[in-house]
Amino acid sequence: MWTATGVWRWRHNPLRRPTDLVEAWVAFAAVVCVLLVAPAVGCAAGLRVDDRLQRAAREQQQERFLVPAVVVRPAEEGPGGAEANPQRQSPRRTLVVAEWTAPDGSGHRGTVPAAEEPPQAGDRFRIWTDTRGRLVGRPLDAASAGAHAAVVGLAAAAGVALLAETGRRLVVRRLVHRRHALLDRAWAEAWRDWGRAGAGS
């Protein structure tokens, strides 16, 4: 509102310089970008990302399964079991050799993090696998997808607002340099006539 009022006042002000009006309109455009364009871009980006993440979450929930596993023995080595282990999230958890049956009925054995400490042979726990029994990570849930989309939307809105403010500052900087150049030129022209009779000084 203050910027819009400033633009209106500069319209017929006798002290107005051309650069003043340009600066006022640039400030008004920046305010519009921050208040209207940035939220619109952020909302659009957030909705688009949320749609994709929600679709990915539904696909993962359909393709990933919690299956029971049984501890065979503690793992003697690091992540060098029979199958890769994408589920490992914390190096503090003990690795064990476990057996499980995939949703398709095939049996598997591999090195996985223990569900409890200390692990005991025969302990039962559940792991995430795909249809063929390969270890996978926990599927993305709808709440996490929405949170990630909200972060993307906020980042997009902040980026547009920052871009608008940066553009405004660059334009104002150029205008200030132009004002100084015009002032120096005016002083140079006035200095030639300074003190001369009939020069109005």
Side-chain angles (χ1 to χ4, degrees), residues 11-176:
R11 292 177 69 246
H12 302 295
N13 193 317
L15 299 178
R16 184 199 72 191
R17 297 167 294 186
T19 55
D20 294 328
L21 189 59
V22 172
E23 181 179 352
W25 279 110
V26 168
F28 180 74
V31 170
V32 170
C33 286
V34 171
L35 297 182
L36 298 178
V37 178
V41 171
C43 183
L47 291 175
R48 185 171 184 179
V49 172
D50 182 67
D51 180 66
R52 293 184 177 181
L53 290 180
Q54 294 295 346
R55 191 182 313 125
R58 289 191 295 269
E59 292 176 354
Q60 290 182 6
Q61 291 169 4
Q62 293 175 357
E63 298 172 353
R64 302 183 181 188
F65 305 89
L66 266 178
V67 299
V70 180
V71 176
V72 177
R73 57 178 172 77
E76 298 179 356
E77 301 179 356
E83 300 185 19
N85 178 30
Q87 277 193 330
R88 190 170 56 133
Q89 297 178 352
S90 174
R92 297 180 181 178
R93 298 179 64 182
T94 303
L95 297 177
V96 296
V97 176
E99 293 180 342
W100 63 92
T101 301
D104 63 1
S106 59
H108 297 265
R109 172 181 286 207
T111 302
V112 299
E116 298 181 0
E117 298 289 349
Q120 301 292 332
D123 287 348
R124 294 181 176 273
F125 60 101
R126 296 195 298 175
I127 57 176
W128 288 99
T129 71
D130 61 10
T131 306
R132 298 182 178 180
R134 292 175 296 191
L135 296 175
V136 294
R138 180 188 299 272
L140 182 67
D141 59 86
S144 298
H148 291 317
V151 171
V152 172
L154 291 175
V160 172
L162 180 62
L163 183 62
E165 176 61 15
T166 302
R168 185 194 69 82
R169 289 177 179 270
L170 291 176
V171 172
V172 170
R173 184 177 180 181
R174 292 292 299 272
L175 292 175
V176 169

Side-chain angles (χ1 to χ4, degrees), residues 170-191:
L170 291 176
V171 172
V172 170
R173 184 177 180 181
R174 292 292 299 272
L175 292 175
V176 169
H177 287 319
R178 180 174 175 79
R179 288 170 185 163
H180 289 169
L182 293 175
L183 183 60
D184 291 341
R185 188 184 308 168
W187 271 111
E189 293 176 355
W191 181 257

